[in-house]
Amino acid sequence: DQQVKQNSPSLSVQEGRISILNCDYTNSMFDYFLWYKKYPAEGPTFLISISSIKDKNEDGRFTVFLNKSAKHLSLHIVPSQPGDSAVYFCAASVAHTGNQFYFGTGTSLTVIP
Amino acid sequence: ETGVTQTPRHLVMGMTNKKSLKCEQHLGHNAMYWYKQSAKKPLELMFVYSLEERVENNSVPSRFSPECPNSSHLFLHLHTLQPEDSALYLCASSQDGGTGGYNEQFFGPGTRLTVL
């Protein structure tokens, strides 16, 4: 039973425009969410996180939004750059579970120059 | 070396072979993890070690055997694997706050395993 879902396997965006990557979850106990970015032949790297006490967290060009009632989070990248082309994973965790994260299947983002 | 390293990067083995994957973290973390990533599937947590003790084993078959000799090293011993075990195996580390605090995990580049 997949608790974190990324329903879009791929996304193409023009350079300079906004990229929006979506993630849905089923477990209402999740209270911490992260986004990871993965380039080919490399491991995932941490990008940005948000706890359930917030509905928005911003870091430069990256903003994560959390809608707890809809069990939905999204990652906005603006403006998108060709170097942002990668696979993006969202992950979720429950307090006091020893850093056990549940990952989505990933969305492959291509930013077209 | 910096971050989290994994060796080998690629491994091809027969079903009767025994091999080991190695992970080393240079970040001073106290928790290490093994994940499996199969095609079109989410990362699956296999094992968690915190302070060198195994705290999580997500019903992984016994043909996978982890070993954590110290806080910097983690091994995954493989024996009698099946072709469906072919996947990318990722190691990660984090600083476990022990109080439910959240600390992101740092991943190695992975070992691409093919079982023939």
Side-chain angles (χ1 to χ4, degrees):
Chain A
D1 180 31
Q2 205 171 318
Q3 300 192 53
V4 178
K5 298 179 183 178
Q6 293 176 258
N7 292 318
S8 298
S10 62
L11 175 68
S12 290
V13 172
Q14 207 71 32
E15 181 179 3
R17 308 292 283 267
I18 185 171
S19 296
I20 300 177
L21 297 99
N22 294 304
C23 180
D24 297 295
Y25 60 95
T26 57
N27 188 343
S28 58
M29 298 295 291
F30 287 146
D31 56 4
Y32 188 63
F33 305 87
L34 306 91
W35 284 94
Y36 280 86
K37 177 164 104 171
K38 184 180 184 303
Y39 292 117
E42 294 182 14
T45 55
F46 170 73
L47 191 57
I48 192 169
S49 64
I50 188 168
S51 77
S52 60
I53 62 173
K54 293 185 175 182
D55 54 17
K56 176 183 175 182
N57 189 25
E58 192 171 353
D59 184 2
R61 296 186 296 113
F62 302 90
T63 303
V64 56
F65 295 91
L66 176 62
N67 182 335
K68 290 184 288 293
S69 60
K71 297 193 184 67
H72 178 84
L73 67 155
S74 61
L75 175 68
H76 293 210
I77 307 173
V78 55
S80 301
Q81 299 174 353
D84 296 328
S85 298
V87 178
Y88 290 79
F89 295 94
C90 67
S93 181
V94 180
H96 310 297
T97 58
N99 275 345
Q100 179 163 352
F101 288 97
Y102 296 84
F103 284 81
T105 51
T107 296
S108 178
L109 173 67
T110 301
V111 179
I112 304 163
Chain B
E1 293 278 18
T2 59
V4 181
T5 58
Q6 289 186 243
T7 54
R9 296 293 307 275
H10 300 271
L11 178 62
V12 179
M13 59 187 289
M15 293 167 61
T16 57
N17 291 157
K18 290 184 181 181
K19 297 286 184 183
S20 295
L21 309 184
K22 178 183 175 182
C23 175
E24 184 173 359
Q25 60 97 359
H26 310 268
L27 300 167
H29 289 160
N30 61 6
M32 297 186 77
Y33 312 78
W34 279 117
Y35 284 90
K36 174 183 177 183
Q37 186 181 20
S38 304
K40 298 184 180 179
K41 288 187 176 180
L43 271 71
E44 300 171 52
L45 180 64
M46 299 176 72
F47 300 102
V48 179
Y49 277 83
S50 180
L51 299 172
E52 301 158 41
E53 293 205 2
R54 190 159 74 191
V55 295
E56 187 72 38
N57 172 0
N58 284 342
S59 304
V60 177
S62 59
R63 57 185 183 270
F64 296 91
S65 174
E67 179 190 0
C68 187
N70 55 60
S71 60
S72 299
H73 294 87
L74 185 65
F75 295 90
L76 187 62
H77 304 298
L78 317 170
H79 63 98
T80 0
L81 294 192
Q82 306 297 312
E84 59 264 29
D85 297 322
S86 299
L88 179 68
Y89 288 85
L90 290 160
C91 172
S93 72
S94 71
Q95 187 61 26
D96 185 355
T99 57
Y102 305 107
N103 295 295
E104 63 268 20
Q105 295 173 9
F106 292 77
F107 285 84
T111 295
R112 175 67 63 184
L113 173 67
T114 303
V115 181
L116 302 176

